[in-house]
Amino acid sequence: MPTARAISTAVLLSTATLLASSLAACAPTGQDGDRHGDTGGATTDAQALTSLRNQSLTWKDCPAPAPIQGGGEAPGALPDGTRWQCATLRTPLDWKNPSGESMDLALIRARAAGDPDDRIGSLLFNFGGPGGSGVATLPGLAPDYEKLRTRYDLVSFDPRGVGNSAGVRCLDAGLPSEEEIDNTPDDGGDETNALVRFNRETAAACEKNSGDVLAHVGTTQAAQDMDLMRQVLGDEKLHYFGISYGTELGGVYAHLFPEHVGRAVLDGVVDPTDDLMEEALAQAGGFQLAFEHFAAWCARQGCTLGDDAEDIVDLVVGLEAALDDTPLPTSDDGELDGDALVEAISGALYRQDYWPALRVGLEAAADDNGEVLRDLAEALGQHGRGGDTDDDSTDGTTPEESNEDDAFRAITCDDSSSRYTVADVLSRLPDFLEASPLFGPGLAWSALSCDGWPVPGAARHPEVSAPGAPPVLLVGNTGDPATPYEGAARMAERLGKDVGVELTYEGEGHGAYDSGNTCVQDTVNAYLLTGTLPKPGTVCEAEPLPEGK
């Protein structure tokens, strides 16, 4: 996550520090993401694949991450002195034509710290998105995985289309920013037309600026890249830790290469049976449930928003509607409108640690002070966006920043064949409002994001069936807003009999391992380090936030 600007209260400054903890990052050296023409003459696909599998990686100390990866400082050495190393992996631009053009993928690693005789191999991470730079993210989160480094090299990468791996760009002069578009239009009039026009113009800009890679950034090709990484890194099996979207990528890998699956953990599990609209509807319910849990906690703390959870939810729904009509001005000549309110709440529900900051912000907004929530929305809304990009451009172009949003759209639309229309959204809007009057409208309209996309999507939902694969540990969080708990059971069913093994975390926030819950971490570590799976029906319970916090 990028550095956020100063927050208005001490508790929010603490939150910003927590947000910034994952900033330490790096970018690989060389011209990462470059695409190379076919230099092999009459090289056959078989010869090209042999060459790719036999390539040697040149590992070097990591520089600071590039702006397209999110910016920040070069990662410092780990406590034992281990330095982060970066390299590039050559892979086909199109896996259906491996002897054609190639592209470079950005990789990062920290070598295992334990006895070399105990080393298992590499543990490959994907932290989700899609669109997040693994190269920029892993160093900041490495303390959470230090125990795993006793037997694994920790490895991550920028997936194709992301960051320094031929990062997709949709920037175009004259396009409005997403913040200038009403993402929850009230009717089928001008606001709706503006949203439709924005999506189509964004798609056209993506084709104009990145058309040569747009058809090749889907999850299936990313999974094929991971198998190439496995071979080049010298591992017989792929040991893997996928979070959020990374669980979908892991499921697709298991489907394509069941015989190569090693010890794999999927945390914050995506429901592989959903298409774009169904996923958005499930998320509306997930965020609503998580907000109700926050509201109940807030009421127990004696916050000024209401006497019980229902009162607090009703007050905030009314506040969002009022801010849509009359935003609260802020001291930096900005404003807090309904969209910013929902963005702040949504971001704060990703980690229970953020709840105290959200309470402060909502109490202030209810008292006509939008400063705190506006700052919180900006801090939590900048995941992977490269921090502040206020530098004035002298040539009239947009300052370069992280391409996470562009990559998210490109990968999502390459994967999904769903192309929803305004009529489709309007017909389902009542379902979204029933699921959540606060989060439902924005998620319903998000189903339009692939309208006008120049590449046909692969399928309605991913194929993850993996008969014959070894056990895959699935961690589901009962309070997860972004990947609701039911997704873990559906992933287990689709992976196939005796493949998906479920671990339940009765907690809050997105994912479970990074919550710090000892039970979850010990169970996951036991599987990855010793191969010991939890007993069926194992449940880990969260520790409540301390009273008064």
Side-chain angles (χ1 to χ4, degrees), residues 109 111-123 149-155 233-235:
R109 76 174 179 187
R111 300 304 298 268
D115 186 334
D117 292 338
D118 291 335
R119 180 180 176 275
I120 295 172
S122 301
L123 181 62
R149 200 167 66 87
T150 59
R151 301 197 69 189
Y152 291 99
D153 296 345
L154 305 185
V155 181
L233 290 168
D235 293 320

Side-chain angles (χ1 to χ4, degrees), residues 308-323:
D308 56 31
E310 185 176 359
D311 287 345
I312 293 172
V313 171
D314 289 345
L315 181 145
V316 173
V317 170
L319 181 60
E320 188 269 339
L323 290 173

Side-chain angles (χ1 to χ4, degrees), residues 106-303:
L107 274 64
I108 185 171
R109 76 174 179 187
R111 300 304 298 268
D115 186 334
D117 292 338
D118 291 335
R119 180 180 176 275
I120 295 172
S122 301
L123 181 62
L124 189 63
F125 289 83
N126 181 283
F127 299 100
S133 165
V135 171
T137 301
L138 179 57
L141 299 182
D144 292 342
Y145 308 114
E146 186 62 17
K147 190 166 186 178
L148 299 174
R149 200 167 66 87
T150 59
R151 301 197 69 189
Y152 291 99
D153 296 345
L154 305 185
V155 181
S156 193
F157 63 108
D158 289 359
R160 52 176 56 223
V162 176
N164 271 3
S165 297
V168 170
R169 277 296 191 190
C170 301
L171 299 175
D172 213 353
L175 271 182
S177 69
E178 194 161 4
E179 289 74 19
E180 296 175 87
I181 299 297
D182 188 344
N183 291 305
T184 56
D186 296 325
D187 53 38
D190 291 342
E191 291 178 349
T192 303
N193 292 336
L195 178 59
V196 170
R197 187 165 57 251
F198 170 77
N199 284 324
R200 292 179 179 176
E201 289 177 349
T202 299
C206 290
E207 184 175 29
K208 172 185 173 184
N209 296 320
S210 300
D212 50 350
V213 299
L214 279 191
H216 309 295
V217 299
T219 298
T220 294
Q221 298 214 46
Q224 291 171 292
D225 292 337
M226 292 203 307
D227 200 58
L228 178 62
M229 290 177 207
R230 173 190 67 80
Q231 296 171 79
V232 174
L233 290 168
D235 293 320
E236 182 181 349
K237 302 287 186 180
L238 181 79
H239 307 293
Y240 180 73
F241 200 135
I243 302 164
S244 194
Y245 161 78
T247 67
E248 179 179 328
L249 178 58
V252 171
Y253 180 89
H255 169 69
L256 294 174
F257 306 103
E259 70 281 9
H260 295 156
V261 174
R263 297 175 187 172
V265 174
L266 308 183
D267 181 13
V269 186
V270 169
D271 186 339
T273 69
D274 284 343
D275 72 356
L276 282 181
M277 185 77 78
E278 293 161 347
E279 180 180 22
L281 182 58
Q283 283 190 328
F287 276 101
Q288 181 68 25
L289 177 65
F291 186 59
E292 290 170 359
H293 290 175
F294 160 82
W297 168 85
C298 194
R300 292 195 301 272
Q301 301 300 302
C303 68

